[in-house]
Amino acid sequence: MESFKIKKICCIGAGYVGGPTMAVIAEKCPHLKVTVVDINEERIDEWNSSDLENMPIFEPGLKEIISKVRGKNLFFSTQIAKEIKESDMVFISVNTPTKTEGFGAGYAIDLKWVESSARQVAKYAQGHTIVVEKSTLPVKTAEVIKEILLNSIKNKNCKDYDKTFSILSNPEFLAEGTAIQNLQNPDRVLIGGEDQESINYLKEIYMNWVKSTKILTTNLWSSELSKLTANAFLAQRISSINSISAICEVTGAEVGEVSKAVGFDSRIGSEFLSAGPGFGGSCFKKDILNLVYLAKFYRLNEIADYWEQVIKLNNWQNRRISQLIVEKLFGTVSLKKIVILGFSFKANTNDTRESPAISIVNDLLENGAEIKIHDPKVKSKQIMKDLNLSFNTKEKRKEFGSWDYVSDVYKALENADAAVIVTEWPEYKKLDWLKISEIMRNPAWLFDTRSITEPSAIKETSINYWSVGNGSLE
Ligand code: UDX
Ligand code: UDX
């Protein structure tokens, strides 16, 4: 191992995590050749597209980095075997969804992609290879990967006598919409492992731009559990403030004022205290369910119940918004035109995974509404996939509503009965509600599930108004 030096790294999984993470590593480490591989050819083609607007993911600051390093020391490829073979370090950043069938369905993480990636590394790696878990994984997954890798060496057909592996856990803490910022200036980098030498190799990569005091090293299991815990704590704060939002609405307190007052306490801090339609995104729900599964597995049922409540509250918050919309529109939305503003799970991303918009729209469709959906970045093809419905499903089910994708908010609001702000896109803060009040059908409603509009501005119009944590102005 003496001559071992990291020159080439590869990442399996060109998704929301693998793509931006490798782009920033390539930018900060011009001496390294970085290749991102994926089984999805279409995705790789999109990453290689000359049209930077056509990237598979939208992330502020990403296309600038891609235009600088792609083709120089950053590559996107489907040649998985070749790239693994040539790499000194392989990151695994494939998707890890919650299992839908079999043991642990609904809670446990489906490790099939991680396992198949480990098998590919086991088969194609040459020489010494450091394998880095980047995906969020259940505690003790490194054990599974280790077993697969070590068995490949023990296999009597294995002729690569110099083949050795070590495994590290290096969870990502990037939030979509600010991923590039989080990668370039992380709060901390966490590296878990048993082999100090390998830890140092990975640490050296990050030290090209991150201060060593921000790089924490732990054992493998602490690293894996820290990721789940961080996400559980963040999600818990959101459920906590959402629970308070409902109390605000009935008491006359204003949730924005409460979270500001609470967040000023330096022990609490001001972040992740915005009430909303419930958290979405690919990680929070999945990671908490995983924590619940782990607790149940070790018969720690009180702990499982404690964390499960964070999800139950989130579902409740989400559901109560669609119920409230129906209630305010005289108990029926059948044939009423409702404009949904925002479909992504938060602003500045085109990601819709677990977006609260999906269930709100589904509930309203179930109740017969005519929905118009606007989002600055999400494409109609994606919405169709998420709703699992083509446009105008009315023909199939009599009472069922219909939906349409719109690109002009003002046009969509003509004769609309209600507008619902689901995602806090900055452009929705600038809408001219006075102008809108003249084109909507009366009595018109604005439901602001993110509390981003100025109540005093709406008061000047004829529009009825409800916002999360503030209640109604009629
Ligand atoms: C994923 C996980 O969901 C998350 O838990 C983890 O923290 C990071 O990795 P993300 O990058 O957002 O997050 O997932 P996704 O955008 O779905 O990308 C995963 C990619 O892996 C896909 O492009 C998929 O085609 C690819 N993949 C999957 C492989 O290349 N090989 C496989 O065997 C399986
Ligand atoms: C999260 C974690 O923040 C990140 O560290 C981890 O690696 C992946 O999961 P992400 O899901 O991309 O990142 O976005 P995040 O900003 O955490 O928001 C998650 C959800 O919570 C969004 O739906 C957002 O709208 C919601 N949210 C966030 C609130 O409702 N209120 C808040 O105050 C903050």
Side-chain angles (χ1 to χ4, degrees), residues 12-19 37-40 43 57 80 92-97 109 112-114 116-117 120 134-137 172 176 227 282-283 286-287 351 353:
I12 309 177
Y16 281 89
V17 173
V37 294
D38 203 293
I39 45 173
N40 183 339
R43 209 166 215 195
I57 66 166
I80 300 174
I92 299 182
S93 186
V94 294
N95 36 333
T96 49
I109 279 180
K112 68 171 177 251
W113 302 122
V114 172
S116 78
S117 302
Q120 283 176 315
K134 197 68 177 153
S135 304
T136 309
L137 295 166
E172 49 83 15
E176 286 173 32
K227 173 61 201 276
S282 71
C283 279
K286 179 185 73 172
D287 290 353
D351 193 352
R353 287 176 290 182

Side-chain angles (χ1 to χ4, degrees), residues 339 341 372-374 405-414:
V339 180
L341 298 173
K372 307 279 169 201
I373 301 173
H374 177 271
Y405 180 76
V406 294
S407 50
D408 183 332
V409 177
Y410 288 95
K411 215 159 168 220
L413 283 163
E414 274 172 20

Side-chain angles (χ1 to χ4, degrees), residues 17 59 136 171-179 182 188 227 230-231 234-235 237-239 241-242 270-284 287 314 344-347 349 351 353-356 422-424 449-450:
V17 173
E59 199 57 62
T136 309
E172 49 83 15
F173 293 102
L174 49 94
E176 286 173 32
T178 53
N182 302 146
R188 78 322 209 163
K227 173 61 201 276
N231 273 351
L234 291 170
R237 283 172 73 96
I238 301 170
S239 279
I241 199 66
N242 283 343
S270 60
E271 298 204 26
F272 274 73
L273 287 182
S274 301
F279 56 76
S282 71
C283 279
F284 281 177
D287 290 353
N314 196 55
S344 57
F345 79 95
K346 62 184 235 184
T349 177
D351 193 352
R353 287 176 290 182
E354 301 291 338
S355 174
V422 184
T423 315
E424 72 286 19
T449 74
R450 299 276 185 173

Side-chain angles (χ1 to χ4, degrees), residues 357-394:
I358 301 173
S359 46
I360 292 176
V361 169
N362 270 327
D363 279 350
L364 296 175
L365 284 173
E366 284 281 341
N367 282 281
E370 286 180 8
I371 305 280
K372 307 279 169 201
I373 301 173
H374 177 271
D375 190 284
K377 290 287 173 203
V378 181
K379 297 189 175 140
S380 63
K381 205 169 89 185
Q382 183 59 45
I383 299 175
M384 200 175 291
K385 237 196 235 167
D386 291 328
L387 296 177
N388 207 8
L389 295 168
S390 53
F391 296 117
N392 289 320
T393 35
K394 215 179 232 159

Side-chain angles (χ1 to χ4, degrees), residues 149-187:
L149 297 176
L150 296 185
N151 272 323
S152 76
I153 303 172
K154 280 190 224 143
N155 187 330
K156 60 180 184 329
N157 295 325
C158 175
K159 296 190 186 72
D160 303 323
Y161 299 110
D162 65 340
K163 200 156 154 169
T164 51
F165 294 106
S166 71
I167 296 135
L168 300 177
S169 157
N170 174 219
E172 49 83 15
F173 293 102
L174 49 94
E176 286 173 32
T178 53
I180 300 298
Q181 222 172 294
N182 302 146
L183 286 160
Q184 289 177 329
N185 188 18
D187 286 345

Side-chain angles (χ1 to χ4, degrees), residues 44-100:
I44 291 295
D45 286 347
E46 284 172 352
W47 280 110
N48 282 325
S49 159
S50 55
D51 176 10
L52 290 175
E53 298 304 324
N54 203 19
M55 291 288 196
I57 66 166
F58 166 74
E59 199 57 62
L62 176 64
K63 68 177 184 209
E64 288 77 5
I65 299 178
I66 296 287
S67 68
K68 223 162 66 185
V69 293
R70 194 181 56 189
K72 289 202 176 100
N73 68 328
L74 176 69
F75 302 89
F76 294 91
S77 163
T78 49
Q79 292 190 301
I80 300 174
K82 173 180 169 280
E83 294 303 334
I84 291 176
K85 202 178 267 178
E86 291 179 359
S87 294
D88 310 302
M89 188 177 266
V90 179
F91 289 78
I92 299 182
S93 186
V94 294
N95 36 333
T96 49
T98 305
K99 278 179 91 169
T100 50

